Amino acid sequence: MAFEGARRRLIDGGRRALGLDVATTDHITLASLHHVEADVPELDPRELAQFRRIRLLGATGTVLIAISALGVAAQPVLQNPVSGVRVIGVFARWQTSSLALSMIGTVLVVMAWLLLGRFAVGGFGAAPLHRLTRSQLDRTLLLWILPLSVAPPLYSTDVYSYLAQSEIARRGMDPYVVGPASGLGVGNILTMNVPNIWRETPAPYGPLILWIGRGIAQITGDNIIFGVWAHRLLALGGVALIVWALPRLSRRCGVAPVSALWLGAANPLVLFHLVAGVHNDALMLGLMLAGIEFCLRGIRDRPGPFDRRAWGLLIFGVVVITLSSTVKFTGIIALGFVGMALARRWGPGLRPILASAATLGGLAVATTLFVSLASGLGFGWIYTLNTAGAVRSWMSLPTAIGIITGFGGVLLGLGDHTTALLFITRPIAGAVAAFVTLRMLIATWTGRLPAVGALGVSLAAIVLLFPVVQPWYLLWAIVPLAAWATTKAFRVPAVAFSAVVSVMLMPRGADYGVFQIIEAAVAVVIVSLAFIVWTRNRLPWRATPGVSAPSQQPATYGVGS
């Protein structure tokens, strides 16, 4: 009898842990991240004047960043178009001044983004009395993106690795076996621009991005400038897909499209790292979100049995999501949440889950096989997914714990056991992230959370517990959550992380002297404070009272999810 009672308690505890039998109050921490946003009137004349100044402020910041990039960006070692030029070459010689100009531009963009938030999501936890229109935000985003689109690569040199790995593929070698140094030679112009740490490293990316990159290499050859711009066009295409998909997903969750776009697309991390930094995460995120939108159209738009249109949308969406995983494998996670939403649509029980898994899994395998075989790149990318693990990232929670603990051991005279500790903290963090993902999948299946919100929570756990976390990885979670999570419990930390991380990073990494950073930072503080004092009555630095139009009854966004 005692054994039976213990077994029953164990089963009940397991069901509660997995979210299969949980009281409503146990979901308060996640469900409270979302509330349905109400429609509000457009900006009044005073707010419209402030909005135009904010848009100009952000545009000024991006122009300053683009100009200073002529001296402090991650410019190529060879084929530098501004090297030795009389006028524009001065930025490369005035390193400290150019760094200060870049940091001032960065702070101006972040300030403009935060001020714009008053007209998109309101103040801290308060809905705005008036909201931007979609066209106003779209034009603002385009205006801010344009200067960064023509600037040299900023905040990262990854694009030079893309060029070298693509050239390796073009020459018929396997980029998943050889690195730039061994494949192209140390003296090759493309290899010379790759950071030393990655010169012997095979490509960690999926076959689709290298297939496209091989085509770019075929066209641009050894011309680094044209190659960088070609890859930037891919990144801009990914951002365009984000801008297309995010408002549609937000409407399904009852969230104002402008709110989702402000946090997920106009985010400084998107501007600085996806556009200026030319990261292929833009294409991965864009394809993933677009695929989810097509899948949800097929699953939810029409009640009743699946018709031909629903099947067509579902298949197309699954293919697009799988394509995102052949850019970066992280995109495949979205397929699990789409599968759970499909299983819920098909009915209760285990059989719909198995049918959904078989259907979506078959489509994903077929798409992956096609890309891997048609590209001629094979399946070597599966074995290089952990390449980035060689880096110790301070933003990774398990890595930070391991490093801090190891440093503590050194201080105590116990020796440096950091590597051994990382072998402990990283697997534990991976297990926790896997459990959170499983819990979110079940929450999607039971209908307690929509697929988009559950995916965002899962990706947040994965990002925070990932062995390596780069600043733009935060967008894996922020972008999908922007379409669902609306309360200050999410938005305040997301905004704070985005703003702080955007300001902290140097335009070319850590390649600056301490005195240069300090002098530039002092200049930034002085200029910023002076600007705030000068515009204290012209820009909405403080919340101002207002009254929404009494004739407009609030109507909620969303078509249901």
Side-chain angles (χ1 to χ4, degrees):
M1 191 70 178
F3 175 78
E4 180 64 24
R7 187 180 73 85
R8 174 52 58 186
R9 286 193 296 271
L10 181 62
I11 293 175
D12 291 343
R15 289 177 61 85
R16 291 177 65 84
L18 292 174
L20 290 169
D21 186 19
V22 183
T24 304
T25 55
D26 290 344
H27 282 272
I28 194 80
T29 54
L30 288 180
S32 62
L33 293 177
H34 171 74
H35 65 73
V36 175
E37 289 190 320
D39 193 5
V40 296
E42 298 178 7
L43 303 182
D44 60 28
R46 179 174 181 273
E47 292 169 332
L48 192 58
Q50 292 178 332
F51 159 70
R52 288 170 179 158
R53 297 183 189 119
I54 293 170
R55 182 166 58 188
L56 180 61
L57 172 63
T60 303
T62 56
V63 168
L64 291 179
I65 294 172
I67 293 174
S68 64
L70 298 173
V72 296
Q75 299 199 25
V77 177
L78 300 176
Q79 295 186 11
N80 188 338
V82 301
S83 179
V85 180
R86 288 182 178 272
V87 178
I88 60 178
V90 72
F91 293 98
R93 296 190 292 272
W94 296 347
Q95 284 284 301
T96 304
S97 299
S98 296
L99 177 61
L101 190 65
S102 177
M103 293 174 66
I104 290 171
T106 300
V107 171
L108 291 182
V109 172
V110 172
M111 286 196 296
W113 178 65
L114 294 174
L115 290 172
L116 193 66
R118 285 199 178 275
F119 301 142
V121 298
F124 289 102
L129 295 173
H130 305 97
R131 184 178 281 125
L132 291 167
T133 64
R134 172 70 191 277
S135 62
Q136 288 171 336
L137 183 58
D138 286 346
R139 289 195 296 269
T140 301
L141 181 58
L142 180 62
L143 184 64
W144 292 0
I145 283 178
L146 282 175
L148 301 177
S149 300
V150 298
L154 285 155
Y155 309 104
S156 173
T157 57
D158 281 4
V159 67
Y160 300 123
S161 295
Y162 302 166
L163 294 175
Q165 292 155 2
S166 300
E167 177 63 18
I168 290 173
R170 188 190 71 82
R171 295 187 182 186
M173 293 177 284
D174 190 348
Y176 301 121
V177 174
V178 298
S182 57
L184 304 178
V186 178
N188 183 274
I189 188 173
L190 297 178
T191 303
M192 294 177 68
N193 291 294
V194 178
N196 292 331
I197 189 175
W198 305 123
R199 288 190 179 182
E200 295 290 350
T201 304
Y205 311 111
L208 178 62
I209 193 65
L210 287 180
W211 193 6
I212 299 173
R214 185 172 64 191
I216 292 175
Q218 190 73 36
I219 298 172
T220 62
D222 290 339
N223 192 308
I224 295 175
I225 305 303
F226 288 158
V228 168
W229 277 345
H231 279 275
R232 179 165 277 154
L233 285 177
L234 286 180
L236 290 173
V239 173
L241 286 174
I242 293 173
V243 173
W244 178 85
L246 200 56
R248 289 164 172 81
L249 292 172
S250 69
R251 284 187 178 274
R252 295 182 180 279
C253 300
V255 176
V258 168
S259 300
L261 283 172
W262 171 79
L263 181 56
N267 194 304
L269 292 176
V270 173
L271 302 176
F272 298 158
H273 296 287
L274 299 191
V275 177
V278 202
H279 286 290
N280 54 30
D281 298 68
L283 189 58
M284 183 271 287
L285 280 170
L287 290 172
M288 182 184 73
L289 293 176
I292 294 173
E293 167 60 20
F294 282 113
C295 287
L296 293 182
R297 284 187 186 185
I299 293 172
R300 298 190 179 278
D301 279 3
R302 293 189 179 184
F306 260 41
D307 56 13
R308 185 175 300 178
R309 178 180 179 275
W311 274 112
L313 289 169
L314 178 66
I315 293 172
F316 182 74
V318 171
V319 169
V320 173
I321 291 174
T322 308
L323 289 178
S324 77
S325 72
T326 58
V327 175
K328 273 196 169 181
F329 193 65
T330 310
I332 201 66
I333 297 172
L335 209 57
F337 293 90
V338 169
M340 284 300 190
L342 179 61
R344 178 172 173 79
R345 165 72 185 273
W346 281 350
L350 187 59
R351 182 173 296 178
I353 295 179
L354 297 177
S356 173
T359 303
L360 272 57
L363 290 170
V365 169
T367 304
T368 304
L369 286 173
F370 172 79
V371 174
S372 299
L373 297 177
S375 65
L377 295 169
F379 304 95
W381 59 283
I382 297 174
Y383 304 103
T384 62
L385 294 175
N386 291 326
T387 298
V391 178
R392 292 182 177 179
S393 172
W394 62 272
M395 295 182 67
S396 167
L397 185 59
T399 301
I401 292 175
I403 292 174
I404 293 172
T405 308
F407 181 69
V410 173
L411 293 179
L412 295 174
L414 302 176
D416 186 2
H417 301 288
T418 302
T419 302
L421 288 167
L422 291 177
F423 275 108
I424 297 174
T425 58
R426 286 179 171 180
I428 293 174
V432 174
F435 174 77
V436 172
T437 301
L438 177 60
R439 178 74 184 258
M440 293 301 100
L441 287 169
I442 294 174
T444 303
W445 177 53
T446 57
R448 280 191 272 259
L449 292 178
V452 178
L455 170 65
V457 173
S458 175
L459 286 172
I462 291 172
V463 168
L464 292 176
L465 299 174
F466 210 59
V468 177
V469 178
Q470 300 292 357
W472 54 93
Y473 288 7
L474 297 173
L475 294 170
W476 297 358
I478 290 176
V479 173
L481 280 174
W484 173 73
T486 56
T487 61
K488 62 181 180 181
F490 161 71
R491 280 179 174 166
V492 170
V495 170
F497 267 104
S498 300
V500 171
V501 172
S502 297
V503 171
M504 284 179 59
L505 297 178
M506 296 293 102
R508 195 174 59 218
D511 190 19
Y512 298 99
V514 175
F515 73 95
Q516 291 179 303
I517 297 175
I518 293 175
E519 289 177 358
V522 170
V524 170
V525 171
I526 293 174
V527 171
S528 301
L529 291 177
F531 179 78
I532 292 173
V533 171
W534 179 54
T535 61
R536 65 185 184 279
N537 295 322
R538 302 184 182 186
L539 292 175
W541 296 106
R542 300 179 301 272
T544 55
V547 180
S548 60
S551 61
Q552 301 228 9
Q553 295 297 323
T556 59
Y557 286 95
V559 297
S561 60

